[in-house]
Amino acid sequence: MTGPKPGQPKPVRPKPGHPTPRQTTPGRTRPMHLAVHASAVDDTTVRTDTVRTDTVRTDPRSGSRSPSDFASFERLARTAERGLFDFLLLDEGLRLPEQRGRIRDPDVVGRPEPLTVLNALATVTDRLGLAATADATFHEPYELARRLATLDHLSGGRAAWHVRTSSDARTGENFRRGGHLDRADRYTRAAEFVAAARELWDSWTPDGTRRPFAHQGRHFDIAGEFTLPRCPQGHPVVVRAGGSDESRELAASSADVLVSGPWAGGRPEAGRALYADVKRRLAKYGRGPDDLKIMASAAVVLGDSAAEAHERAEEIRWQEVSPQSALLTLERVWGVDLSGHDPDGPLPDIDPVPDPRLDLVPDPRLGPGRTRHGDRVATAEKWRALARERGLSIRQTVIEAGARHSFVGTPESVAAELAESVARDTADGFVLVPHPASGGLDEFVDRVVPLLQERGAFRTAYEGATLRAHLGLAEPVWKG
């Protein structure tokens, strides 16, 4: 294993004498997997007007003044690698977020696309996995498989692909095919897309012989020769996200990692239920429980005492929902202009405007501005009931409807909860979504990772060079 690059901090090490995950008694401790998610702009994300929740751009320590400044991404990647994380996940934004014909956050203009950033990060990291979000609705198999394979070769086998399906018709206006697919077609296209990409990656034999490929299916009919040899780790790691039945089935059939939503609010039983359900589905595809890693999205807030941590968490919740963003969230439920309403006043007394095109409703439990498919009228009634019961304003309602942070407490209590969650089959690990006000990723790496290592719950060094090695995933069998 190579050492850190010049000027790069050394990895966190546990105190001498403490066991590594592989030194513990079998059955007592499973190694935990950790990743960090640096969110970018997309059309289902509402940014606040004064406080943005973007992990990269709001970190003042990076010294960055531009959303395309590489220094911000480099700092986050170096910190994650210092903490021995499995991978860094970058989002993709194919269109600027709009509402009522206006850009909701002009400050996101200039945000670079993820694969280019990750190729650059491959030159300043040695072991960290590099995961790019790429939409299966608007990309094409050949071009995307080639770009992902390029990243895998340049990084020495550390590439991953977060397969996303877009439901937004406005995004389609940026692409030749236009429009968008209905829900069922998006998932069938994504499944075929992954299959086609793997056929391309397998079109070269392991000994370097190039062979022609041909794929014919409902969504793709392609043939030719792939330009790159087989990837260093066989295939890039495939990541899926979500908790819907379709997402679970796709993950069970073809993904290497499933990122589930946050199970905040003291409900880890929801995480255990999803974990058990998805692991059960693997058998019908001839896969074992270790062939798919399930990682829960998590937000961590630390404090020197439990009281301090909870106070910081409450402050962050208010920062994430500004008065303007609260109104924008309500507009997406009601379907009308609510700019004249007072965010510190009551909810609108009018009913949402029926519009079948608006099949996404804000779900603050998934994070600021995130959405899900649902009934907007039912959502409005639920929020009205919450506001009446607790005497809440518009802004307070949006905040209260949102999720609590997944883990709030002292470093010791958070480390214990994380380790217990893995031990009790709630998740195989966690994808952290750090907030600058909670210390960003640095505080977690400096204060929690050493405690996890002392418990034997997390690695003390990278044991392999590829992302598949970090995740404990076997190299795919070549299908010639």
Side-chain angles (χ1 to χ4, degrees):
M1 172 180 161
T2 61
K5 296 183 187 299
Q8 188 170 354
K10 294 182 179 179
V12 174
R13 303 293 187 195
K15 296 177 182 178
H18 286 286
T20 69
R22 296 185 185 275
Q23 294 172 323
T24 56
T25 303
R28 285 186 55 198
T29 304
R30 290 191 293 117
M32 179 187 302
H33 299 285
L34 290 175
V36 60
H37 179 196
S39 61
V41 57
D42 60 49
D43 201 59
T44 61
T45 303
V46 178
R47 301 298 183 192
T48 66
D49 57 347
T50 56
V51 179
R52 299 184 306 276
T53 59
D54 189 305
T55 305
V56 174
R57 288 186 291 115
T58 54
D59 188 343
R61 292 165 292 188
S62 70
S64 173
R65 294 181 177 275
S66 165
S68 59
D69 192 331
F70 181 67
S72 297
F73 297 97
E74 181 180 5
R75 176 181 173 83
L76 185 65
R78 287 184 183 273
T79 302
E81 186 163 76
R82 179 168 65 86
L84 304 174
F85 275 43
D86 293 66
F87 61 89
L88 162 68
L89 170 62
L90 294 185
D91 270 349
E92 176 182 55
L94 296 179
R95 182 169 177 135
L96 297 177
E98 299 178 29
Q99 194 153 319
R100 300 198 311 274
R102 299 195 302 271
I103 302 299
R104 291 199 301 264
D105 184 1
D107 193 49
V108 301
V109 175
R111 183 61 180 262
E113 66 88 22
L115 270 165
T116 302
V117 174
L118 293 175
N119 276 299
L121 290 177
T123 68
V124 296
T125 56
D126 291 312
R127 293 291 184 265
L128 181 68
L130 304 168
T133 301
D135 199 301
T137 303
F138 298 110
H139 288 293
E140 293 294 327
Y142 185 90
E143 60 92 11
L144 185 57
R146 186 167 181 263
R147 294 171 67 203
L148 288 164
T150 297
L151 175 60
D152 205 62
H153 279 283
L154 294 180
S155 66
R158 295 185 282 141
W161 170 26
H162 170 209
V163 185
R164 179 179 170 180
T165 59
S166 176
S167 61
D168 177 46
R170 288 195 299 270
T171 299
E173 295 172 1
N174 286 349
F175 295 86
R176 184 181 64 176
R177 66 180 300 271
H180 71 294
L181 300 175
D182 64 33
R183 185 177 177 85
D185 283 344
R186 289 198 302 273
Y187 284 99
T188 58
R189 178 183 166 95
E192 186 181 340
F193 198 126
V194 172
R198 284 174 167 158
E199 290 175 29
L200 292 166
W201 294 326
D202 277 341
S203 65
W204 284 63
T205 66
D207 64 5
T209 302
R210 184 179 70 251
R211 305 186 318 158
F213 69 85
H215 173 92
Q216 288 184 314
R218 176 185 172 191
H219 294 278
F220 306 107
D221 185 355
I222 54 177
E225 291 190 358
F226 199 54
T227 58
L228 289 173
R230 186 170 169 83
C231 295
Q233 60 177 340
H235 300 163
V237 168
V238 172
V239 181
R240 290 287 306 178
S244 68
D245 187 72
E246 297 96 331
S247 294
R248 298 183 190 199
E249 199 65 26
L250 270 177
S253 67
S254 60
D256 300 303
V257 175
L258 172 64
V259 180
S260 63
W263 33 269
R267 295 183 63 249
E269 64 274 9
R272 282 193 288 275
L274 180 145
Y275 185 93
D277 175 51
V278 176
K279 295 284 185 174
R280 277 195 300 266
R281 298 182 190 219
L282 292 167
K284 67 181 175 181
Y285 297 104
R287 309 180 71 196
D290 291 334
D291 292 336
L292 173 68
K293 305 303 179 185
I294 299 176
M295 302 176 70
S297 179
V300 174
V301 180
L302 302 174
D304 291 331
S305 66
E308 179 186 337
H310 283 281
E311 183 178 345
R312 291 179 75 185
E314 189 65 17
E315 290 174 357
I316 291 169
R317 294 179 70 212
W318 277 85
Q319 288 179 1
E320 289 178 337
V321 182
S322 72
Q324 182 61 25
S325 66
L327 289 176
L328 290 172
T329 299
L330 247 67
E331 286 183 356
R332 303 189 75 182
V333 175
W334 264 258
V336 295
D337 183 353
L338 298 176
S339 58
H341 283 66
D342 181 0
D344 293 319
L347 268 66
D349 55 7
I350 58 175
D351 291 328
V353 175
D355 189 343
R357 296 172 300 174
L358 301 176
D359 62 344
L360 294 175
V361 297
D363 191 344
R365 294 171 300 173
L366 303 179
R370 304 306 296 177
T371 61
R372 61 173 174 78
H373 287 266
D375 184 335
R376 294 185 300 114
V377 174
T379 299
E381 285 304 315
K382 181 179 178 180
W383 288 10
R384 279 173 172 163
L386 176 65
R388 285 194 301 267
E389 178 184 349
R390 304 190 186 181
L392 303 178
S393 67
I394 289 175
R395 187 183 182 195
Q396 290 171 327
T397 299
V398 173
I399 292 171
E400 195 61 29
R404 301 297 193 273
H405 293 89
S406 308
F407 299 94
V408 179
T410 63
E412 293 78 10
S413 68
V414 167
E417 286 186 68
L418 291 169
E420 167 127 8
S421 296
V422 173
R424 296 191 63 188
D425 290 338
T426 308
D428 293 311
F430 300 91
V431 178
L432 302 186
V433 187
H435 190 285
S438 65
L441 188 62
D442 292 85
E443 187 171 27
F444 182 90
V445 167
D446 293 334
R447 302 186 69 186
V448 178
V449 167
L451 298 176
L452 292 171
Q453 292 170 327
E454 290 177 17
R455 289 173 167 270
F458 190 60
R459 65 172 64 94
T460 60
Y462 289 118
E463 297 184 9
T466 69
L467 178 53
R468 288 187 179 275
H470 305 341
L471 293 167
L473 297 171
E475 181 176 318
V477 175
W478 178 68
K479 296 179 180 179

